[in-house]
Structures are given as C-alpha cells and as structure tokens.
Amino acid sequence: MELIHLRGRSSDIVVDTAQGAPVIVHWGAPLGAETDPSAFGTAGERPLVHGSPDVVAPISVVPEHGSGFPGRPGLRGHRRRGVAWAPRFVPAGHELDGHRLTVTARDDVAALVLTVVFELDDALVVQAEITNTSPTERYLLDSLSITLPVPQQAAEIGTFTGRWTREFHPVRVPWPHGAFTYENRRGRASHEHPPLIFAGTPAFAEWQGSVWGAHLAWSGNHTGFAERLPDGRRYLQMGELLHPGELSLEPGQSYRTPEVIAVHSDAGLTAATQQFHRHLRARPSHPAGPRPVLVNTWEAVYFDHDLDRLRELADRAARVGIERFVLDDGWFAGRRDDTRGLGDWWVSPDAHPNGLGPLIEHVTGLGMEFGIWVEPEMVSPDSELYRAHPEWALTTDGYEPVLARHQLVLDLARPAAFTHVFEQLDALLRDHAISFVKWDMNRDHIGGSGADGAAGSHAQTVAVYRLLDLLRDRHPQVEIESCSSGGARVDHEILRRTSRVWTSDCNDALERQTIQLGASMLIPPELMGAHIGPERSHTTGRRHDLAFRAATALFGHLGVEWNLLSLTDAELDALHEIVTLHQRFRPLLHAGDSVRFDTEDAYVAHGVYATDRSEALVSFAVVTTSAGLIPPPLRMPGLEPDRQYRVERLPLPGERLGPNRSIPTWMSGGVTMTGRQLGDFGLQLPALHPESALILRCVAL
Ligand code: DGJ
C-alpha cells in the first residue's frame, strides 16, 4: 500500500496508489491530525473465504474484471474481435500537487495507460483518462466510468425521477441486493435522470445521517449505477453512456471521462449538497453581482410577436422594477410557430420588419438589459438551412429520421455546420446590444450518426461545449442560460459555460416547490431560473394567488413570465412590491447557504442562511392537505446555537392564512429565540391553506 491523504474543506480521502488503478480506502469525515492513514490497510484487510477467488480485488476507481473484481468493470472495451478486453493495470507513478493527486497506471499487455486525477476542495472531483499506447491498433472503447466505494452502512439510495414540467422529484429506495441503475440515452442530461445519486445511512435526512453524493458533470448520455456485492461491499459508479462503436481510440489517442463531483457529510443531505453549491460558486465564471430580475415573453405572447405589444410589455416590466427583458422563441426567419425556422438565425422580416433595433432600443432606454432565445443545436426540415444542407442533420442514411417537436438535431461535429451556426450567432451578438442568451435544446438525440456513420451523441455534446466556449470568448459580456425543454440539461459542466438554468417549463408554484427543492440538491439558488407565472398555470391549469407564486419564485433567480398587459394597477403594484423584496434580499438569497428542513409530507420547508449565520430567510409551504389540523413546529437547525434571533413573518402582498380562530401572537410582533431553540424546539406556525406559503425572516441580535 502507498497511501496518499488529501484533506478537503469538509471531508478527506485516502488513496492507495500502489494497486495499479488507484483505490479510495477512505472517503468521508476529516481524519484529524492524530490519525495514521496506514491503519486503514490493517483495519480494512478482508479475510479470504470459501467460495471466493484467492484474492480480494479492490474496488478501485476503475475496477478490473481481470483482477477478480466481480462487479461492473470501470473500463470496458477491446481490440480486434475481443482482444484486450480485461485489462489489469500496474502502478506507473503518482504526483501530488497541493489538493490535486494524479495517479498513473499502465497495462503493457493491453497497451493502455490510465490516469486518474483527484482534486479535493469543497467537493471531491475525480476524472480518469485512458490512452491507447498501441502503435498500430485501435482500441474500441465501450465505457470508462468512475467508481467510488461507499461504506456498508450506506443502506439507502437517493435518486430522482422526472419528466417535462416535473423535474427533480426526489426518490428514496433501499439499496437492493444486486444493483440499482439508470441509463439515459436522450443526448441531454434528461428530465428523468439528472446525473446525481446519493447513498446514505438508514433514513438519512436533511440534518441527520451520513451521506455520500456523486454528480456526473456531463450534458449528454450517461449512466449511474449503485451495486452491493455479495461480500457486502458497495460502490457508486457513474460515466458517460456510449452507443455501440461510438468511440474508438486510434493509436496514441485518449478519452477523458467527465468529472465526477462527489460530496460527503455525516450531518445529513443539506450539509452535503452545500458542497456542490460551494464548488460551483468557486468557479471563475460564477456570475458576480446581483442576478437581474427578468421578464420572459414566452408565456406572455408565445409566437405572437408584435412590436407595440412587446414595447408595452417592456414598459410594464420596467414599471415593476424588472431589470432584464428576454425575447423568447419566434423572433427569427420563418418561425411563426414551432414547425419551422430553426437554423435560420436572422431577424424575421415578418415579425420584426425594422429588425430588433426598435425593441432593443426601447428596452435598453427603459434601463433594462435585452436578452434573446436561440436553439443553435437544431434544424427544422422547413428551414432554409435544411433545404441548403440536409446532410448536416444528425440522422442515419437509409432510415427515415424520427422528428421531435418537428425538428432535427444539427450535427455540430461537422466543421461546416459548426462554423455556419457560430457565424450566425456571432453576428447576432455583434450587431445587437444583447446581454443575455437563453440557449434552448428541445429534442432528444435519436439514432443520429455523424459523418463517419458512428453514433454522434458524444461528438455533438463536445461540439456544443466548444460552440459555447467560442461564443463566450468572443462575447464575454453576454450571459447564457441553459434551457432544455425546461430542466433537461442541468449539470455542472454546462454550468461552466452558463450563468443559470431554466429549471422547468412548469411555472405552477405548487409543482415548483418540489422541483426547486430537488434542484437545490445540485445547484444554488442564484443559478435556478424561477418565474412568477400567470394566476392560472399554462402547464397544469391550476390557479394560485400571487403570494404563493411569489413565495416560490422569490428563492431562485427571479423572473416573471406572465402577460403583464393583462394586469390591473393593483396587481402591478403588488408585483413591484415582490420584485423589490427580492432585490432587497437578493444578496442573502444568492450568496448564503441553502438549507432544507425535514418536516411532514404535506409541507416543503427550506431557506437560506447567511454564511456567518447573522440572518436567514425561510419558506414554509403547504403542498397538500395535511393529516394534522396545524403544522408541526418548524425546526430550523444549523443557526448559531447560543445566538439570539429575532424571528418575524415577512408578509407578501395578498397573503392569506388558513382557517385559524387565533394565530400565534409572535406572528404580529415577532419572537426572540436562540439558534438552539429554533433548531430543537422550533416555532409553531398557524394553520395554512394547502398551496400557500409563509416566509420567515430571522435576524441575529
Ligand atoms: C422550451 C423552453 O423550455 C421554453 O421556456 C420556451 O423557451 C420554448 N422552448 C420556446 O420554444
């Protein structure tokens, strides 16, 4: 054993570099100054038992079938009809540079070199690379995944389910015998399987239990796997999902996995997921400064672009304090509905006969930024681009392509197609005062092959990253939003290039309570687009009052997606009040620590604590009728135990309470409690109607 100990801000890892592919022997709590990591070798030694091989193969970061590992190998591939299919690596050196450890291993028989990089800071980042060192033969790569062992006390798996307009719904399952797995082949992170898995001790919750979480930072096809081996050991495994023959490594070529970003806490899910947030906030491209409140035209006008109406909408947006106006789909070429026009990124002479200039000047003249929608990875069969270059669509010769939303994927891995789109977008951003781009992606990759006939999803994903990078280089002042039919592309790799995600096409506040709660397990509030929609939700048909819609959207990156022309003066005033409230609390909301609270099923409780615990804003929402007549006291752990906090209700315009004959007296004047009291005893709330919320503010005295 040759053990390297990396210390992070919240957890430590110990890596054995002497095994070939590196082995994580500890991933968990900080070990403290007194711990001798070499004790792990002795303490963790596993006995040989009957019915097993004469070796105990470790769960390395890339476990090897050829070494006796009985689970799913980390590297799968071969040469020539099956040769070199079960590699076994030997150590080839390692390098420690501060918080970064690079371990190299080689297999001279299979002619492969494996490099694994670990970086531990707020979160653990692991990435692997495989190089084909054969001078003559190609290596056909089926998969290279990252494997993280988790201790046997991890008995439950936390994952997600979702669909369009219902993303990020948390699901909890007992760790099965055998394996839990998901596979995503949609060519985007997907609505249903965000690349994120948690494992934890029985009934791990927001503030209790040990939790290990892993996220694959990748926007394309991917798979997640959690296996319990017959000998009791467990591991998480994540990686890109490759179609048959999608990737082959020519002599000297390499493939690098997406990063796996992993978090751990012995104090529950909230503390673990804050590490994802801190990791994202530490990236150089994280948006600095206040996130502008925006209005988006989609649900206000859809494809009905009329300059006068859009100008009026902008007037009203400015009146309520909105800071950014985003012109959604429908502004370009023949795009009068969703059956045509994608690929033709010039201003429509029908919708905007004098170009976008008059609208942009009007918007910026009102003191707002101007933003615009694009969907650059797509082409409509009914478009000038497709008529000129049908061969640029990501389809497979000989088969009728499967359309989705009447459109095809544009093969950006073809240099000519890439350059064409880049030049159009570059011109759009160069010729207009555009500060924000909503970058949409609205269909799955289905059976699409690149120019060489092999599956084109990997190359497309890489090309999208390159296109974003080039545009950002050229237009560094432009912020980009990642949208994919709502939240089908939410991952840390796209977020290196974008400043927020469109969390869901669902603006129904009730649905959003759960969607945003789930999304907060991966991304912080300032990156989470959250809009106040119309009273009657366009996607669910439900009605909610403004107070509930506001209480829900307030905690993200606030926007308004509502036809402001239909509002009364009183409604505009109320909206203005809400926007002002958000702006007042934005520094706290967008820089504090996100917290979620354990409560009964009828409620969703969450909030944000200032990092110095001087202040907190907390939301308590009722999402369905409850078994009890009144909610249980809201317990808010994690504030400073011995500090006194003044807790007050933060009223929202039009807010109504439930069927109370009396309300707790603190509701009118506030109450002073210690952080310990708030965490242990909690605060009794009044009865609330289902589909309403109460906001509390805590200020340290
Ligand atoms: C899907 C997005 O999620 C919506 O917000 C909207 O931009 C439409 N596309 C426009 O086509």
Side-chain angles (χ1 to χ4, degrees):
M1 272 194 160
E2 187 169 351
L3 300 179
I4 307 282
H5 181 184
L6 291 185
R7 295 174 193 274
R9 293 221 169 83
S10 317
S11 53
D12 285 10
I13 58 166
V14 176
V15 180
D16 183 3
T17 59
Q19 304 277 333
V23 179
I24 298 175
V25 294
H26 169 77
W27 168 32
L31 293 175
E34 301 303 313
T35 306
D36 172 8
S38 66
F40 284 117
T42 324
E45 194 182 313
R46 299 179 71 83
L48 292 176
V49 289
H50 295 297
S52 303
D54 294 350
V55 290
V56 181
I59 304 182
S60 71
V61 172
V62 183
E64 298 156 1
H65 169 82
S67 300
F69 174 70
R72 193 164 79 165
L75 173 63
R76 286 182 287 172
H78 62 102
R79 304 179 191 279
R80 286 178 284 134
R81 290 184 30 237
V83 175
W85 66 280
R88 294 172 70 175
F89 290 93
V90 295
H94 65 267
E95 199 185 308
L96 184 60
D97 177 9
H99 292 280
R100 187 183 166 91
L101 169 67
T102 306
V103 183
T104 310
R106 17 169 259 278
D107 176 341
D108 293 338
V109 181
L112 295 168
V113 167
L114 174 73
T115 308
V116 180
V117 179
F118 303 84
E119 202 157 350
L120 183 59
D121 213 318
D122 288 306
L124 166 67
V125 179
V126 189
Q127 192 168 34
E129 184 176 83
I130 191 78
T131 302
N132 176 12
T133 55
S134 161
T136 51
E137 281 192 326
R138 80 164 47 121
Y139 178 75
L140 301 164
L141 179 69
D142 294 337
S143 68
L144 176 61
S145 307
I146 300 290
T147 301
L148 301 174
V150 290
Q152 288 182 219
Q153 62 267 34
E156 292 181 5
I157 295 170
T159 177
F160 296 86
T161 177
R163 60 158 166 86
W164 177 68
T165 65
R166 196 178 187 273
E167 295 85 343
F168 281 105
H169 273 243
V171 177
R172 185 67 65 85
V173 291
W175 200 313
H177 288 280
F180 163 90
T181 187
Y182 61 77
E183 297 191 343
N184 161 50
R185 292 181 179 77
R186 294 188 182 274
R188 43 181 167 169
S190 86
H191 291 103
E192 64 270 44
H193 298 307
L196 177 61
I197 311 185
F198 295 99
T201 47
F204 70 91
E206 290 299 345
W207 294 86
Q208 64 191 34
S210 296
V211 180
W212 294 262
H215 163 57
L216 185 80
W218 180 245
S219 316
N221 295 330
H222 61 89
T223 174
F225 191 71
E227 182 165 30
R228 179 203 292 208
L229 296 172
D231 63 16
R233 292 178 298 165
R234 288 146 209 246
Y235 63 93
L236 303 175
Q237 190 177 73
M238 298 180 111
E240 182 179 1
L241 190 151
L242 298 171
H243 286 299
E246 184 162 11
L247 277 193
S248 63
L249 303 180
E250 298 304 323
Q253 278 190 339
S254 302
Y255 165 81
R256 187 176 293 167
T257 65
E259 289 180 346
V260 166
I261 300 167
V263 296
H264 164 265
S265 164
D266 285 328
L269 202 50
T270 282
T273 58
Q274 284 170 356
Q275 294 164 26
F276 283 134
H277 299 187
R278 285 200 280 273
H279 180 72
L280 273 173
R281 285 174 172 169
R283 77 213 145 111
S285 60
H286 195 73
R291 315 301 305 124
V293 179
L294 62 82
V295 64
N296 179 292
T297 60
W298 181 239
E299 289 198 358
V301 303
Y302 290 106
F303 290 101
D304 189 7
H305 285 211
D306 170 81
L307 180 59
D308 289 336
R309 279 182 74 208
L310 291 170
R311 276 201 282 229
E312 267 182 77
L313 196 63
D315 291 339
R316 294 210 157 189
R319 171 175 161 186
V320 300
I322 283 171
E323 297 153 311
R324 177 182 277 167
F325 179 98
V326 182
L327 186 66
D328 211 283
D329 198 353
W331 59 268
F332 53 98
R335 185 78 166 171
R336 300 288 70 75
D337 56 39
D338 68 4
T339 63
R340 58 197 121 158
L342 295 174
D344 299 341
W345 301 109
W346 61 83
V347 182
S348 159
D350 303 330
H352 299 274
N354 298 312
L356 290 176
L359 180 60
I360 296 181
E361 278 153 31
H362 189 77
V363 165
T364 51
L366 290 163
M368 291 185 290
E369 295 179 359
F370 185 81
I372 199 153
W373 179 96
V374 292
E375 194 177 358
E377 301 153 57
M378 298 291 156
V379 60
S380 304
D382 186 358
S383 66
E384 295 200 11
L385 177 62
Y386 187 78
R387 282 185 279 276
H389 290 289
E391 76 284 6
W392 285 359
L394 190 63
T395 56
T396 300
D397 286 347
Y399 298 103
E400 189 61 32
V402 176
L403 292 172
R405 209 193 186 202
H406 316 282
Q407 64 200 53
L408 294 167
V409 179
L410 182 69
D411 185 0
L412 291 174
R414 288 175 192 256
F418 183 96
T419 305
H420 175 83
V421 176
F422 172 73
E423 283 174 355
Q424 286 195 316
L425 296 177
D426 182 38
L428 178 71
L429 298 180
R430 191 189 55 224
D431 298 343
H432 299 93
I434 292 174
S435 315
F436 177 81
V437 167
K438 177 178 177 183
W439 184 295
D440 208 344
M441 190 289 199
N442 283 311
R443 65 152 288 172
D444 297 345
H445 297 176
I446 302 174
S449 308
D452 61 357
S457 255
H458 170 84
Q460 177 76 357
T461 309
V462 172
V464 171
Y465 290 154
R466 203 157 56 85
L467 184 58
L468 282 158
D469 289 342
L470 269 184
L471 282 163
R472 276 166 37 87
D473 265 10
R474 193 64 75 85
H475 304 278
Q477 77 292 354
V478 177
E479 280 192 7
I480 303 177
E481 169 177 47
S482 169
C483 171
S484 182
S485 318
R489 190 149 71 185
V490 180
D491 67 81
H492 283 212
E493 193 58 43
I494 203 79
L495 277 166
R496 276 179 209 272
R497 301 156 172 93
T498 51
S499 305
R500 71 171 222 163
V501 300
W502 182 221
T503 322
S504 177
D505 273 357
C506 185
N507 291 319
D508 173 327
L510 177 61
E511 298 294 332
R512 276 290 187 137
Q513 283 287 336
T514 309
I515 294 170
Q516 293 175 193
L517 195 83
S520 79
M521 296 179 191
L522 186 61
I523 58 168
E526 66 273 22
L527 301 182
M528 201 187 297
H531 293 179
I532 298 176
E535 183 189 350
R536 184 168 191 277
S537 161
H538 287 201
T539 55
T540 65
R542 281 199 200 100
R543 288 181 186 280
H544 292 123
D545 60 25
L546 180 57
F548 185 46
R549 280 139 61 214
T552 306
L554 213 58
F555 281 81
H557 176 187
L558 182 66
V560 174
E561 192 166 337
W562 184 10
N563 183 3
L564 299 179
L565 304 184
S566 67
L567 269 60
T568 62
D569 277 347
E571 284 173 321
L572 286 170
D573 290 346
L575 191 56
H576 184 223
E577 209 180 305
I578 289 156
V579 170
T580 311
L581 200 69
H582 176 79
Q583 288 160 335
R584 174 173 156 215
F585 287 106
R586 188 161 53 183
L588 166 65
L589 290 168
H590 291 173
D593 292 332
S594 291
V595 290
R596 294 174 302 272
F597 303 117
D598 300 310
T599 177
E600 296 175 2
D601 284 351
Y603 311 107
V604 169
H606 67 97
V608 177
Y609 290 174
T611 50
D612 64 0
R613 300 296 182 261
S614 59
E615 195 183 357
L617 211 60
V618 165
S619 159
F620 182 85
V622 187
V623 291
T624 180
T625 53
S626 54
L629 278 168
I630 54 170
L634 173 61
R635 295 195 298 131
M636 294 175 260
L639 291 166
E640 280 206 21
D642 295 321
R643 225 158 156 184
Q644 301 279 353
Y645 288 89
R646 187 77 190 155
V647 186
E648 287 174 3
R649 162 194 187 191
L650 194 77
L652 290 171
E655 188 179 74
R656 275 169 299 179
L657 298 178
N660 298 283
R661 295 172 61 211
S662 75
I663 58 165
T665 44
W666 70 262
M667 289 274 291
S668 30
V671 58
T672 300
M673 295 169 76
T674 61
R676 183 173 286 107
Q677 282 174 309
L678 282 165
D680 292 348
F681 183 77
L683 184 60
Q684 181 57 59
L685 304 178
L688 292 165
H689 283 134
E691 305 180 25
S692 70
L694 199 66
I695 310 270
L696 304 179
R697 183 178 182 219
C698 311
V699 181
L701 299 177

